Amino acid sequence: MRFFIDTANLAQIEEAMAMGIISGVTTNPSLMAKEGIKGKANVMNHYKTIAGLVDGRDVSAEVIATDFEGMKKEGEAFAAIADNIVVKVPLIKEGLKALNYFRTKGIRTNCTLIFSAGQALLASNAGANFVSPFIGRIDDIGWNGLSLISEIYQIFEKQVLDTEILAASIRNPLHIVESAKLGADVATCPLKSIEALLNHPLTDKGLAKFLADAEKLDT
Ligand code: E4P
């Protein structure tokens, strides 16, 4: 399972790139707003900057329009920014039309706001390259987000669909490890969830012992 970083924060993207563990970036309007990006030109520039930072890796840029014509226009403008832009489209009827259109144009897509296996199946058939099931938001309402990853994986395997499963709305390291076990192709994670994977008390204890013993060495 590959990692994407789920942020529009340039410093965090650079940090994750330096760690050598990410294969892409996902953003959404909320993450862009969090960075204080305002106005269409600034949004486009910010996507261009991100696309340039990640050396050809995927960058999902989300459309704001909810009608087919609007999504088509926004998505084509995003796709013209750089070859590594993936157009992110919400799972609504107009979104399916947009996915189908982008498929005919060779523009790669990520279908977002997936909360059921049926929605994932629709998105895949409409041509989505990625489906993004939102694990954390499902957990937030007291359901089991990870079971959706499992359900989509079973369907895509059985039906031999090549749409990739992009586990999204990740809240903790367990979401990441379990998504990998259940067959997600990618998990898009905030930097803090990725960094939480580093932690183990035995690593800290072991390193402290090595460092203490290193002081005894004749160097
Ligand atoms: C990624 O593509 C999604 O937009 C993101 O993971 C949503 O996460 P959230 O539920 O924490 O906002």
Side-chain angles (χ1 to χ4, degrees):
M1 186 183 80
R2 312 188 310 278
F3 286 92
F4 287 175
I5 184 166
D6 196 23
T7 187
N9 181 282
L10 302 181
Q12 290 186 16
I13 294 168
E14 285 177 313
E15 180 71 358
M17 279 293 290
M19 287 162 69
I21 47 89
I22 60 158
S23 305
V25 179
T26 53
T27 61
N28 61 39
S30 309
L31 293 171
M32 293 292 274
K34 200 170 157 188
E35 299 308 312
I37 315 296
K38 287 197 173 94
K40 198 174 169 183
N42 289 329
V43 167
M44 299 303 269
N45 275 337
H46 200 71
Y47 280 133
K48 191 170 183 178
T49 305
I50 294 174
L53 276 182
V54 296
D55 199 21
R57 292 164 176 81
D58 290 340
V59 176
S60 284
E62 184 162 343
V63 299
I64 293 165
T66 53
D67 64 299
F68 170 65
E69 288 300 331
M71 289 185 196
K72 179 176 149 186
K73 196 170 156 203
E74 269 184 73
E76 284 182 328
F78 285 151
I81 294 175
D83 289 344
N84 52 333
I85 292 282
V86 176
V87 179
K88 202 171 172 194
V89 173
L91 189 286
I92 54 177
K93 193 195 277 187
E94 294 295 292
L96 295 182
K97 296 176 194 173
L99 292 171
N100 184 42
Y101 172 79
F102 292 134
R103 167 171 54 186
T104 66
K105 296 290 170 192
I107 294 173
R108 299 174 68 234
T109 51
N110 170 3
C111 187
T112 190
L113 292 168
I114 298 277
F115 293 95
S116 76
Q119 290 179 326
L121 196 51
L122 283 175
S124 177
N125 277 281
N129 297 91
F130 296 96
V131 286
S132 288
F134 276 33
I135 301 175
R137 292 194 197 183
I138 295 176
D139 288 356
D140 289 346
I141 62 160
W143 293 10
N144 184 345
L146 284 165
S147 67
L148 178 58
I149 301 290
S150 172
E151 213 181 342
I152 297 172
Y153 177 78
Q154 282 175 46
I155 292 170
F156 283 12
E157 281 294 293
K158 196 155 224 167
Q159 303 294 328
V160 199
L161 299 174
D162 58 9
T163 302
E164 294 198 271
I165 303 171
L166 203 181
S169 187
I170 296 281
R171 302 270 195 266
N172 54 57
L174 195 63
H175 276 162
I176 300 173
V177 173
E178 290 300 317
S179 292
K181 283 160 68 178
L182 294 169
D185 297 286
V186 192
T188 188
C189 318
L191 185 59
K192 68 174 181 342
S193 300
I194 297 173
E195 289 181 335
L197 290 173
L198 290 165
N199 300 333
H200 198 288
L202 291 180
T203 304
D204 298 340
K205 192 177 166 191
L207 183 59
K209 173 94 170 78
F210 284 151
L211 293 178
D213 289 342
E215 283 180 14
K216 301 173 198 161
L217 299 176
D218 230 4
T219 53

